[in-house]
Amino acid sequence: MITGYLFYMLAFLLILFSLGVLMHSSPLFSSLNLVGSMIVLSAMYYLLQVPFIAAVQLIVYAGAVMVLFVMVMMMFDLKHEIKIFSGGFISNAIKCGLAGFFAFTIGATAFMSTEMISGSAKVKTEVLSVKSMAQLLFKDYLIEFEVLGVILLLVAVGAVALSRIKGGTHAS
Amino acid sequence: MQVNDMLAVGLNHYLFLSAIIFSIGILTVLLRKNLIVILMGIELMLNAVNLSFIAFSHFSNNANGPVIVFFVMTLAAAEAGVGLALMVTIFKRFKVVDISIFEKLKN
Amino acid sequence: MGSDLVEVLINSVKLVLIFLLMVQLVPILVWVERRGSAFIQNRYGPNRVGPFGLMQLLADAVKFVFKEEFVPGKGHKLIFYAAPVVALIPGALAFAAIPLANTFHLEPFMFLGESWGPYDINFQGYNVGIGIVFILGVSSLGAYALLLAGWGSANKYSLYGALRAVAQMISYELALGLSIVGAILVYNTFDFHSIIAQQAGALSFTISGRELGIPFLPNWGIFYQPLGAFLFLVAAFAETNRLPFDLPEAESELIAGFHTEYGGMKMLMFYLGEYGHMLVASALLVTFYFGGYQLPFVSHVMIEDMLKSFGLGINMANVLTAFLFFTVFMIKCLIFLWIYVWVRWTLPRFRYDQLMDLGWKTMLPWALANTIVTAVVVFLARI
């Protein structure tokens, strides 16, 4: 009951913030809207009984990634854009139409399929424990986990290399 | 009774929401001119996918979803790091962060 | 929320009271800061208004309320006003998730002519179950307040201060998180109640089946994780932007950093946020490394039994015990808050490159080493 109300409230906020990302003429406000949608998503994860993922969402997305976005945005000091959308009217209309068709298709499919709606016996009732997640992470997904570590290392090296280029694109 | 039916939130509600957010992300990537906003559109799409993963795992009582979301988050952080480093480089070179820079790459 | 009216009522009142507790501690901390700095520098400090200058806070509050409201000409009004509010949120949310005293049990009692069932009441705003991860997540949102303030003021000094502050917070968040991982490995849980329960009694641990113990020391985390505790303390100083890491508001370089353009109540809200952060850091330090709300060697059952032997009712004894433990917790917290003040007026400020070097080249490797060594030792001890 209360979960339903919370879901609709959060869904409304989430769509509002996402539209803010799309529509706002100032990139800074777009990013602040994205921060809002990240926080709302975190609340939604809490609603879906994965509090650990909710907290990680806050730490990683809202607390680190988006802070970087906002910080870069402030360093560039970008003003309101006069023309925020690229392309002409017709191509944009086609793009919007395609995205709308995509959402409609998935949405219709989701509503047609009635097998896995709530009330079925499989719905998880207790909070997902960190222990069971860790066991999956370090047993079944161990190789992926290690590969991810290597990717992160490469990314760190790459980011440092990119920001330290002397000459080349840097010389202006 | 009608209200209670409305308030019983199931998997398809979450999937529908996820589809909407994903399309907004796609539209952000397709329509916006600013490169950083395009990156944010990608983040939005990743988040929509995360939501559907969590919803699937919740409604089928399966712990694999959160683990994959964990991976996606890490990759998204990495992608944002490299993307922003590229943005800074582009900004230093062209003084704008706009997809119009690709027109200058012709020669 | 709670199952019936009284429980909902108790929980709501509890939330409001814990928020008010955080807010009301701030004037006292400001007074301690000013008197403490005066004491350290061999001055008097505020001593005219009221006994020991305690009424100075009221005078300050009046002054803050009646200051002129203004927004910088080129600043962004919404962001300028939003920043102080955002500054207050993380501290308040995080503090409400920390248990301040033991969970106490209420037997059925009569109220408004009806009998209300037995309750187990947590002495904390809400219990999220994942404790420390939630707090790390919420307090990582604190960076936005600084960014918004710096950008909304349309002032170069503000923006520089904000960018410095955020770079510093992101850098030290790593060391902060990693320094706690060691403690989490030792306790094997995220939950605060379980962490505190494991610190009861005298120091004793099991290594591969053999029981070792030192009877005259309490079973506190500091004896298992001395390096982790020290790293946490230092990283917490940096996270709260206090001296010796107060580069964001280095007066000689940046006027006042991100809150240069703020005055009156908005300025006060930044103060509330900063002191709230300090309070959360001290509370975490106490919870993880200094036994939480527990008195060393004394469990709450012993105190309850003692109070009952004086002829008190069972509910009364339980409530009194909880408040005693709450007092113990606050005293421990205040000791660490005093250390904050003490360090502020003792150590000089770092240079910015030194700060970054310390964060990335010293604290992060040590925290990593601490984590790895702890993991190996815990693994070997549990074989």
Side-chain angles (χ1 to χ4, degrees):
Chain A
M1 191 60 186
I2 193 142
T3 324
Y5 283 117
L6 278 176
F7 171 79
Y8 282 111
M9 205 181 76
L10 291 177
F12 176 71
L13 279 177
L14 187 54
I15 293 174
L16 210 67
F17 278 130
S18 318
L19 281 178
V21 177
L22 174 61
M23 305 298 284
H24 219 292
S25 62
S26 161
L28 182 77
F29 277 86
S30 282
S31 62
L32 289 179
N33 273 308
L34 191 53
V35 175
S37 68
M38 300 289 181
I39 294 171
V40 173
L41 258 177
S42 161
M44 207 166 246
Y45 293 159
Y46 195 82
L47 205 62
L48 285 169
Q49 288 170 329
V50 276
F52 184 71
I53 290 291
V56 170
Q57 166 94 3
L58 275 186
I59 296 176
V60 174
Y61 264 127
V65 173
M66 287 321 293
V67 169
L68 283 183
F69 269 96
V70 176
M71 207 169 141
V72 167
M73 215 77 86
M74 285 176 179
M75 263 166 30
F76 290 175
D77 195 22
L78 300 171
K79 298 286 177 291
H80 283 261
E81 295 168 349
I82 300 148
K83 186 169 177 296
I84 59 169
F85 295 135
S86 64
F89 177 74
I90 297 174
S91 70
N92 281 354
I94 294 173
K95 287 169 187 171
C96 286
L98 282 177
F101 178 70
F102 173 79
F104 174 76
T105 319
I106 294 189
T109 323
F111 268 110
M112 296 293 194
S113 61
T114 47
E115 268 185 41
M116 278 168 60
I117 54 168
S118 77
S120 67
K122 278 181 139 182
V123 175
K124 189 171 58 188
T125 45
E126 82 280 12
V127 168
L128 178 74
S129 75
V130 184
K131 197 170 256 173
S132 61
M133 226 186 98
Q135 259 155 8
L136 269 179
L137 195 61
F138 293 117
K139 278 183 181 157
D140 298 5
Y141 291 93
L142 183 61
I143 297 171
E144 289 88 335
F145 187 76
E146 298 289 336
V147 169
L148 207 61
V150 176
I151 289 177
L152 275 182
L153 184 65
L154 287 179
V155 162
V157 173
V160 171
L162 266 177
S163 54
R164 288 207 145 191
I165 289 174
K166 292 276 183 286
T169 55
H170 192 66
S172 55
Chain B
M1 196 61 215
Q2 198 68 34
V3 176
N4 276 336
D5 280 354
M6 276 287 289
L7 286 174
V9 176
L11 175 61
N12 37 26
H13 292 73
Y14 281 99
L15 287 186
F16 192 58
L17 178 65
S18 166
I20 293 175
I21 305 299
F22 192 86
S23 346
I24 294 176
I26 286 186
L27 280 178
T28 313
V29 173
L30 288 179
L31 296 180
R32 291 299 294 253
K33 279 180 77 173
N34 192 309
L35 280 175
I36 302 184
V37 181
I38 289 177
L39 263 186
M40 298 198 304
I42 296 174
E43 298 289 334
L44 209 53
M45 280 150 72
L46 287 172
N47 269 292
V49 175
N50 280 355
L51 178 63
S52 63
F53 265 125
I54 297 279
F56 270 122
S57 107
H58 176 81
F59 286 101
S60 60
N61 199 7
N62 184 338
N64 283 301
V67 177
I68 294 170
V69 168
F70 202 75
F71 287 144
V72 173
M73 277 182 188
T74 322
L75 276 181
E79 173 246 320
V82 172
L84 285 175
L86 270 173
M87 294 306 138
V88 173
T89 322
I90 290 172
F91 187 75
K92 277 180 184 165
R93 176 76 176 81
F94 296 104
K95 300 288 172 244
V96 280
V97 252
D98 211 308
I99 45 169
S100 64
I101 60 146
F102 291 119
E103 293 163 9
K104 295 177 186 163
L105 299 178
K106 274 174 190 163
N107 298 320
Chain C
M1 283 287 285
S3 51
D4 58 20
L5 183 69
V6 170
E7 200 165 10
V8 170
L9 201 72
I10 291 175
N11 283 339
S12 325
V13 169
K14 210 167 61 177
L15 261 178
V16 175
L17 277 186
I18 285 175
F19 178 68
L20 287 182
L21 171 74
M22 192 194 102
V23 173
Q24 285 308 310
L25 264 177
V26 172
I28 297 168
L29 285 176
V30 173
W31 178 80
V32 168
E33 181 115 43
R34 294 170 78 174
R35 292 290 290 197
S37 70
F39 169 70
I40 286 170
Q41 295 170 340
N42 211 1
R43 304 185 273 116
Y44 285 115
N47 63 349
R48 296 297 167 91
V49 196
F52 304 109
L54 267 168
M55 292 297 133
Q56 182 73 40
L57 321 163
L58 274 178
D60 278 353
V62 171
K63 186 190 79 169
F64 273 130
V65 170
F66 285 106
K67 274 208 168 181
E68 188 194 345
E69 289 269 326
F70 70 95
V71 180
K74 287 181 180 171
H76 195 287
K77 201 171 176 184
L78 175 69
I79 288 188
F80 187 76
Y81 277 106
V85 183
V86 177
L88 196 54
I89 292 173
L93 279 181
F95 188 63
I98 298 174
L100 305 176
N102 59 317
T103 306
F104 59 95
H105 183 76
L106 281 185
E107 290 292 320
F109 57 93
M110 298 297 285
F111 179 62
L112 293 177
E114 279 181 68
S115 176
W116 300 89
Y119 302 115
D120 282 314
I121 294 169
N122 282 332
F123 215 110
Q124 90 193 91
Y126 39 74
N127 191 1
V128 274
I130 48 164
I132 177 63
V133 190
F134 171 78
I135 287 185
L136 285 180
V138 169
S139 52
S140 67
L141 298 181
Y144 288 110
L146 314 185
L147 275 176
L148 294 181
W151 196 79
S153 318
N155 178 328
K156 277 184 183 139
Y157 291 117
S158 298
L159 190 59
Y160 281 139
L163 292 179
R164 274 187 178 192
V166 171
Q168 173 181 334
M169 281 180 89
I170 291 185
S171 309
Y172 278 80
E173 218 158 69
L174 289 171
L176 187 83
L178 271 176
S179 63
I180 284 188
V181 170
I184 293 172
L185 281 171
V186 170
Y187 299 127
N188 204 10
T189 178
F190 288 135
D191 186 39
F192 287 129
H193 291 284
S194 168
I195 286 173
I196 293 170
Q198 287 181 45
Q199 299 183 48
L203 189 65
S204 68
F205 42 89
T206 325
I207 291 181
S208 34
R210 264 176 301 169
E211 189 92 19
L212 295 173
I214 305 171
F216 57 86
L217 284 178
N219 199 13
W220 285 353
I222 179 86
F223 300 115
Y224 297 94
Q225 287 284 320
L227 182 61
F230 180 70
L231 288 173
F232 181 83
L233 183 68
V234 177
F237 273 103
E239 279 285 298
T240 48
N241 297 329
R242 297 276 301 184
L243 261 167
F245 302 110
D246 74 336
L247 272 300
E249 39 196 279
E251 295 93 348
S252 48
E253 304 162 32
L254 292 175
I255 308 179
F258 57 88
H259 54 64
T260 303
E261 298 283 355
Y262 284 87
M265 278 316 268
K266 298 199 283 295
M267 171 82 182
L268 188 66
M269 282 174 87
F270 276 115
Y271 264 101
L272 287 178
E274 186 185 323
Y275 283 99
H277 239 98
M278 278 164 58
L279 190 61
V280 170
S282 314
L284 280 182
L285 202 67
V286 168
T287 307
F288 269 90
Y289 302 108
F290 292 92
Y293 46 72
Q294 282 175 331
L295 271 173
F297 307 114
V298 184
S299 75
H300 64 96
V301 182
M302 285 160 73
I303 297 180
E304 279 163 16
D305 286 344
M306 196 186 78
L307 284 174
K308 272 179 226 160
S309 72
F310 289 153
L312 283 171
I314 182 163
N315 282 347
M316 199 62 198
N318 287 355
V319 171
L320 275 181
T321 316
F323 273 97
L324 175 72
F325 276 72
F326 170 69
T327 319
V328 170
F329 186 82
M330 286 326 284
I331 288 172
K332 284 181 182 174
C333 272
L334 286 174
I335 290 172
F336 283 102
L337 288 168
W338 167 248
I339 289 179
Y340 271 92
V341 175
W342 186 11
V343 168
R344 174 167 182 181
W345 300 103
T346 309
L347 293 182
R349 182 184 299 138
F350 279 90
R351 223 170 49 216
Y352 199 67
D353 58 325
Q354 291 172 333
L355 171 95
M356 282 296 167
D357 277 1
L358 181 72
W360 287 100
K361 293 185 188 165
T362 312
M363 295 200 30
L364 193 60
W366 277 101
L368 264 176
N370 183 41
T371 309
I372 292 170
V373 170
T374 311
V376 170
V377 170
V378 167
F379 178 70
L380 289 178
R382 285 195 190 137
I383 285 177

